[in-house]
Each structure stands twice: as structure tokens, then as C-alpha cells.
Amino acid sequence: MLLFSLVLSLIAVFASPAAAQQSSACSLLTPGDVEVATGAKVGATQPSDYEMPIGPNKNMTVPSCTWTVPTHQGGVVISVGPGLPSDKDTIKMAKNNPGTDGLRAAHYKEEAKDFPNAWCSIMTPPPSTKDGVMMSSCNAAVKGKALSIVFMSPSKALTIDQAKALLDKAVGRLH
């Protein structure tokens, strides 16, 4: 449940209704891109919208796209939305939000790397965690937008370089 909350937090931070109208998150990566990064065939590709509470009686529609990776019992999720007032604020929010902070509090091992206008991390559950899921993510601030890519699997993590390569492909297709 904690990992699901993290993903929803990241999606909420990095997406908005305007992004869904401007460009489909699914157009930023191809199944081939995901297959190269994960080393496995992609299953279903699914665009989706989540209704996320952002205040009392106020929700935000969060557009995203998911590519399932059945071999690894996981998938890749991408979301895109307007950035915060500055690129530094956008990246700071990626690093410190309720989901990521919750994983840290649950003693997930964190490996992270800063890039210009991007931040990538791998979160690995502690050995004592039953049914733990590894999470590799990269988040960027580009062209006034925030972009988030997350790969989750109980059996595999992407390296930071693999996650960053996916992010770079999506950034190259961002309008």
C-alpha cells in the first residue's frame, strides 16, 4: 500500500488536466523503448486518468500511461504536467514528497543521482519486508513541465542509467 501511495503521490505532483489535453503521456514512450529498458516484452499499454484529492472538495485529473511488463510482474508509469514555479522546486518536490518520505521511513534502501533539471532514484525494500516492490524512477523539469517515469517490480530494478535513458527519450518527444 505504501508503494501505491508513493506512485499516486508522484503522479499527483507531476500531472494536471491541461497536460492530458496538450499531449498524451503514452506518446512519450513506445513499447520498444520500455522493452529495451526493462529487458522484457511489454504487455498492455494503458492510458489512464486518476482523480486525486488536492484540497477540500477539490480534485485534480491526473493523466498518465502504464506499460505492463508481465515477465517482471511490474510496469512502467509515465506522467507529465506543468512544473512548479521553478525547475528547482519541481525537482525538490520529486525528492521530498509523502510517498518518497514514506519509503525512507520504512527503511527502503535509496540510491539516487542528481542531473541538471532531473533526479533519479532506486528504492529497494528492506529484506524483512514481505511482498516488497523495487521502484526505479526519474523525474525532470523541462520546458516548464514536470515529467515522471516510474518502474516497479518485485523482481527487478532498472539502473539509474536505464531509467534516465527512458526519461531522456520521453523528454525528446515532449512538446
Side-chain angles (χ1 to χ4, degrees):
M1 186 65 177
L2 181 63
L3 192 56
F4 181 72
S5 297
L6 168 67
V7 171
L8 291 180
S9 295
L10 288 173
I11 290 170
V13 167
F14 291 106
S16 79
Q21 295 168 3
Q22 293 171 3
S23 152
S24 168
C26 291
S27 70
L28 299 177
L29 292 174
T30 68
D33 296 333
V34 175
E35 288 176 7
V36 167
T38 64
K41 287 284 184 194
V42 171
T45 300
Q46 182 66 45
S48 57
D49 290 328
Y50 297 97
E51 290 296 319
M52 297 293 300
I54 58 170
N57 302 315
K58 188 173 181 183
N59 289 330
M60 174 174 64
T61 301
V62 180
S64 65
C65 190
T66 302
W67 291 265
T68 62
V69 184
T71 301
H72 300 307
Q73 299 174 332
V76 171
V77 179
I78 186 171
S79 61
V80 64
L84 296 175
S86 77
D87 289 351
K88 287 182 183 182
D89 289 339
T90 299
I91 300 304
K92 183 178 177 184
M93 182 62 77
K95 290 180 178 183
N96 300 296
N97 60 67
T100 304
D101 293 343
L103 292 177
R104 289 179 184 123
H107 306 292
Y108 272 59
K109 179 184 168 198
E110 180 178 9
E111 176 186 347
K113 185 172 180 181
D114 287 301
F115 296 91
N117 294 329
W119 178 74
C120 300
S121 70
I122 301 168
M123 300 295 269
T124 306
S128 61
T129 302
K130 290 184 179 183
D131 301 324
V133 177
M134 293 177 268
M135 185 183 81
S136 306
S137 66
C138 273
N139 305 279
V142 59
K143 299 179 182 178
K145 296 182 182 181
L147 181 65
S148 174
I149 294 177
V150 178
F151 173 68
M152 294 179 297
S153 168
S155 62
K156 177 178 175 70
L158 299 182
T159 66
I160 285 180
D161 289 340
Q162 290 168 323
K164 180 69 165 66
L166 269 180
L167 179 73
D168 290 344
K169 285 189 181 282
V171 166
R173 295 179 183 131
L174 189 62
H175 301 155

